[in-house]
Amino acid sequence: DAGVIQSPRHEVTEMGQEVTLRCKPISGHDYLFWYRQTMMRGLELLIYFNNNVPIDDSGMPEDRFSAKMPNASFSTLKIQPSEPRDSAVYFCASRDRRTSGANVLTFGAGSRLTVL
Amino acid sequence: GENVEQHPSTLSVQEGDSAVIKCTYSDSASNYFPWYKQELGKRPQLIIDIRSNVGEKKDQRIAVTLNKTAKHFSLHITETQPEDSAVYFCAASILKTNAGKSTFGDGTTLTVKP
């Protein structure tokens, strides 16, 4: 298995532009999480899905952020319009609670976003 | 909701010495405590975890202890090596619920000096 795959790995954009981050979870994993990492705030959970359904989006900072999971193998995190304070590394993680019996997260490599 | 505090934020040790990182949690229902290691520019990866039905778990040079009464758990690294240098995150979550989200501590940057 190739693990959790995220794209793009790096994105530099200008303030006001739309940003779309993509994630492909590990096949068979039924949970998908989006985290944001910054020096100031550490690892913050933005939203997570179970079987493609959003369960908790209380961590989404503002209406400018939205996330979708149209099927079991794909999720997007969109920021529109982007602002400089959105600059961070965004991690996607997936988990298979059924087989592991534990909440072990497998993280993707992250998408480093810089908003100028 | 759950709140996890982690100390210290930075830790510097000499190669061969031991390192201890401590975390406290607030939700007494939390029963699963993983530790993740994040090397510079890389993704967090699980290194060890512990469930609330045990007090200690070891894996070679790393060990984790849990005190449910006090609601704190610790990561112990013995005989540290330069490759142990990384950011370490503790987390707390509740198993076997549909919640299942992990709350992370703020991380500890460990530097092992050769």
Side-chain angles (χ1 to χ4, degrees), chain A residues 98-113:
Chain A
R98 294 165 298 174
T99 57
S100 71
N103 294 354
V104 177
L105 298 175
T106 300
F107 284 84
S111 293
R112 181 176 295 277
L113 172 65

Side-chain angles (χ1 to χ4, degrees), chain B residues 64-107:
Chain B
V64 58
T65 59
L66 170 66
N67 183 326
K68 284 191 296 183
T69 303
K71 295 208 282 279
H72 66 69
F73 56 111
S74 301
L75 178 71
H76 304 253
I77 307 174
T78 59
E79 300 173 23
T80 53
Q81 301 168 3
E83 52 264 39
D84 295 329
S85 297
V87 180
Y88 292 82
F89 293 95
C90 63
S93 64
I94 303 171
L95 288 178
K96 297 183 180 178
T97 67
N98 284 330
K101 60 183 181 182
S102 297
T103 302
F104 284 83
D106 288 339

Side-chain angles (χ1 to χ4, degrees), chain B residues 2-7 21-27 33 35 70-74 90-92 103-105:
Chain B
E2 176 68 279
N3 181 51
V4 176
E5 295 191 354
Q6 185 172 345
H7 300 280
I21 302 170
K22 299 180 180 181
C23 289
T24 60
Y25 61 99
S26 61
D27 189 347
F33 308 93
W35 286 87
K71 295 208 282 279
H72 66 69
F73 56 111
S74 301
C90 63
T103 302
F104 284 83

